[in-house]
Amino acid sequence: MNFPIRPEAASEHAGKHDALFYTITALTIFFTIGVYVAVLFLALKYNHKNKADRSNAPHGNTKLEIAWSVIPLGMAIAIFAWSTQQFVDLYKVPKDAMQVFVIGKQWMWQIQHTNGIRENNELHVPLGEPVQLTMISQDVIHAFYIPEFRLQWHVVPGRYTSFWFTPTKPGKFHILCAMHCGTQHSEMGGYVYVLPKKEYQEWVAKGGNRFIATPTSMAQAGKQLYERLACGTCHGDKDNERGTTLYGLFGSQRKLKDGSMVVADNAYIRDAIYDPYRHLVTGYDKTMPVYEKSQVSEEQILQLTEYIKTLGQAPATDVVASPPIPASPTPGAER
Ligand code: HEC
Ligand SMILES: [Cu+2]
């Protein structure tokens, strides 16, 4: 029987989400029917025209009252625990999740893969592999919504948001914007294409939709930008008086001037470029230039970040100013 109450379920999360949804719905229907049947039955039975036996009416029943308090309470707590667990799962991103970046703007979704492939309003992903989206908006608040995956997340200006999924069915699924974002909000959508692994690799090999056989990877694009903007005049192999070294920066703990510690993640690096004085590194002053969005776009920030991620340890000798970038890994291919 095909009676679609909800869209097709096409991600690992969707199956779990549906189980919760149907359980809550079934419980609600069960109790609603139970209550209404009882109301109707009693209303008819004790209608004033009926000669029902009204002697010995019960006054209070402690056991019954405890039961109808404790059982629903237990059920509510169980549903709370179950849904909390699903919510927490959304924050447990698998370590090997493929990284994809999404920029929302009025009125389209720009998608960038680490290997340099770009798509607009389309997202190609391999079947059965975890994918993490890191998203930001260039203008107003949007929300990235894939109904078949049962996932929706806000995409806001000024900060990254993120969610992940594992597609469980090949096919074409909707991408919608779920936040009213202006005149053409309703047209801000597209499709996720879930391809079996081999087809996905072929898609990557032919350079995505635009047939660019060797797209410049995000890290390579970031490196070119880093050189063009001369970030290296201050950031070298070691901390120096002009700036800190960016080697080994990503994921490390940074000690700030105000004494606090933060982890250098995507957001930290974005701030460091757009709003550097918000968190000055201890020992440094307000000397890093503030870059405007007209100089470095959100997309370029992501590319610079990908480049900085490739900067592992500083080279042993200080001859090499900027290290060669390893050939861009094909997402999905290394597994
Ligand atoms: C005029 C020198 C100068 C230039 C040019 C410069 N920076 Fe900086 N940068 C600094 C200084 C000084 C700091 C440390 C103080 C601070 O946190 O702002 C810093 C901090 C940073 C940090 C945080 C590093 C840490 O150790 O936690 C990042 C990331 C960064 N810069 C990236 C860049 C990028 C990318 C560029 C090029 C677009 C750039 N910088 C250009 C001087 C510079
Ligand atoms: Cu939108």
Side-chain angles (χ1 to χ4, degrees):
M1 190 186 70
N2 185 23
F3 180 60
I5 298 175
R6 317 199 77 195
E8 193 181 345
S11 75
E12 254 173 34
H13 175 74
K16 297 181 200 164
H17 183 92
D18 284 359
L20 178 63
F21 175 83
Y22 286 126
T23 305
I24 296 175
T25 309
L27 283 173
T28 311
I29 292 173
F30 175 78
F31 283 104
T32 309
I33 291 177
V35 167
Y36 276 89
V37 166
V39 167
L40 202 65
F41 170 75
L42 294 172
L44 292 174
K45 182 173 178 194
Y46 292 103
N47 185 296
H48 69 107
K49 287 179 209 144
N50 287 354
K51 291 197 191 70
D53 177 13
R54 290 182 170 82
S55 60
N56 297 323
H59 292 283
N61 183 331
T62 316
K63 274 190 200 149
L64 198 62
E65 285 174 24
I66 290 177
W68 79 45
S69 305
V70 171
I71 294 171
L73 179 70
M75 290 193 322
I77 290 176
I79 287 170
F80 173 75
W82 188 5
S83 42
T84 306
Q85 183 218 331
Q86 293 198 1
F87 191 68
V88 169
D89 275 353
L90 293 179
Y91 287 90
K92 287 194 208 142
V93 187
K95 278 224 163 58
D96 61 347
M98 183 179 130
Q99 298 297 316
V100 177
F101 298 90
V102 177
I103 296 177
K105 57 175 165 184
Q106 285 169 320
W107 289 275
M108 65 181 294
W109 298 108
Q110 267 188 345
I111 289 163
Q112 192 166 185
H113 298 258
T114 49
N115 59 12
I117 293 180
R118 293 142 185 274
E119 330 184 47
N120 288 339
N121 296 330
E122 286 189 1
L123 168 60
H124 287 72
V125 290
L127 178 67
E129 302 283 343
V131 176
Q132 180 178 22
L133 303 185
T134 298
M135 311 177 291
I136 196 159
S137 165
Q138 214 165 280
D139 37 53
V140 300
I141 302 177
H142 302 277
F144 196 86
Y145 179 30
I146 309 173
E148 289 88 346
F149 291 0
R150 309 287 187 269
L151 285 167
Q152 188 207 118
W153 221 265
H154 281 164
V155 178
V156 296
R159 65 182 264 210
Y160 294 121
T161 53
S162 166
F163 72 86
W164 70 278
F165 53 80
T166 304
T168 50
K169 277 187 193 169
K172 180 179 171 186
F173 307 107
H174 294 91
I175 299 174
L176 302 171
C177 177
M179 180 62 69
H180 189 266
C181 58
T183 332
Q184 289 172 50
H185 157 69
S186 62
E187 276 151 49
M188 185 165 169
Y191 293 97
V192 182
Y193 293 87
V194 178
L195 305 177
K197 221 166 157 176
K198 201 167 154 280
E199 277 177 44
Y200 176 76
Q201 278 163 7
E202 283 162 13
W203 180 81
V204 169
K206 80 173 187 347
N209 306 334
R210 295 185 191 180
F211 307 110
I212 302 165
T214 44
T216 312
S217 76
M218 284 178 74
Q220 281 164 337
K223 181 173 192 253
Q224 287 163 10
L225 201 64
Y226 187 88
E227 281 159 8
R228 188 152 62 75
L229 295 168
C231 312
T233 51
C234 298
H235 295 286
D237 294 347
K238 298 190 191 76
D239 288 352
N240 61 36
E241 66 279 6
R242 277 166 293 134
T244 56
T245 178
L246 303 183
Y247 279 95
L249 171 68
F250 195 84
S252 70
Q253 288 272 346
R254 306 302 294 155
K255 192 163 193 293
L256 304 185
K257 218 165 185 173
D258 64 10
S260 60
M261 301 287 288
V262 291
V263 175
D265 56 6
N266 289 331
Y268 176 84
I269 291 177
R270 183 181 177 278
D271 279 349
I273 300 168
Y274 278 153
D275 193 5
Y277 313 144
R278 183 146 142 204
H279 46 54
L280 284 176
V281 178
T282 181
Y284 290 89
D285 269 318
K286 299 182 177 178
T287 51
M288 164 135 174
V290 177
Y291 291 87
E292 302 292 334
K293 288 201 179 166
S294 52
Q295 295 166 286
V296 186
S297 67
E298 291 287 0
E299 190 177 359
Q300 290 172 326
I301 293 271
L302 289 167
Q303 293 167 347
L304 284 169
T305 307
E306 285 307 295
Y307 171 59
I308 291 171
K309 278 184 199 171
T310 64
L311 298 175
Q313 288 307 305
T317 58
D318 34 13
V319 186
V320 190
S322 51
I325 299 183
S328 69
T330 309
E334 70 269 27
R335 281 181 290 273

